[in-house]
């Protein structure tokens, strides 16, 4: 009897309306933060919907982990690339501090779990 209560409550229209309102507010704040730091780029703020929940996502369609670097920063590194003729060359990629777009917009702490060291 009680096991179904959270499921019923989570799908209630008032709860869904509030989730939508809060997700929209966070997305607007996140977009404002992202725009302040972006001259141009492929990153964007999107709101995605699950079965019950709403998700505010920092998206980057390039697939180069740019969204992760934008949120948490990155250490400087050397990357090997190829030119149009197939010749390899090295490029220095500078480090950058994270902008914590989603953390700031949602009022969450600016920390990252896991073993990745970004110094």
């Amino acid at each position: 009897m009680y096991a179904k209560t959270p499921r019923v409550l989570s799908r209630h229209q008032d709860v869904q309306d509030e989730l939508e309102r809060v997700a929209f507010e966070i997305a607007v704040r996140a977009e404002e933060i992202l725009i302040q730091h972006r001259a141009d780029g492929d990153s964007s703020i999107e709101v995605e919907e699950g079965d019950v929940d709403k998700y505010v996502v920092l998206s980057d369609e390039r697939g180069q982990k740019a969204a992760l670097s934008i949120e948490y920063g990155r250490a400087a590194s050397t990357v090997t690339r190829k030119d149009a003729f197939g010749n390899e060359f090295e490029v220095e990629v500078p480090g950058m501090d994270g902008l914590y777009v989603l953390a700031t917009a949602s009022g969450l702490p600016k920390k990252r779990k896991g073993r990745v060291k970004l110094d």
Side-chain angles (χ1 to χ4, degrees):
M1 175 169 127
Y2 295 109
K4 293 183 180 181
T5 301
R7 184 181 310 161
V8 170
L9 288 175
S10 67
R11 295 179 188 275
H12 190 277
Q13 189 59 50
D14 290 344
V15 173
Q16 288 299 303
D17 289 347
E18 182 65 8
L19 280 173
E20 189 169 330
R21 184 190 68 74
V22 170
F24 177 77
E25 286 181 4
I26 292 171
V28 168
R29 286 192 298 263
E31 186 67 32
E32 288 172 350
I33 294 166
L34 186 60
I35 287 171
Q36 289 174 8
H37 297 279
R38 178 182 68 195
D40 60 358
D42 298 315
S43 299
S44 63
I45 301 297
E46 299 175 8
V47 177
E48 296 183 4
E49 294 191 28
D51 291 337
V52 176
D53 295 321
K54 312 281 189 260
Y55 304 94
V56 179
V57 178
L58 174 57
S59 177
D60 186 352
E61 295 183 6
R62 292 179 297 172
Q64 298 174 351
K65 299 183 182 178
L68 185 65
S69 294
I70 292 167
E71 185 70 13
Y72 297 111
R74 67 171 179 252
S77 63
T78 303
V79 178
T80 303
R81 298 202 173 136
K82 290 185 180 182
D83 64 17
F85 303 104
N87 301 315
E88 291 187 352
F89 63 98
E90 291 186 347
V91 175
E92 292 291 323
V93 178
M96 66 175 253
D97 293 332
L99 300 179
Y100 301 102
V101 173
L102 297 175
T104 302
S106 61
L108 295 172
K110 296 176 184 176
K111 64 181 180 179
R112 179 176 178 182
K113 294 182 179 182
R115 293 187 232 171
V116 178
K117 188 173 181 179
L118 299 175
D119 293 338

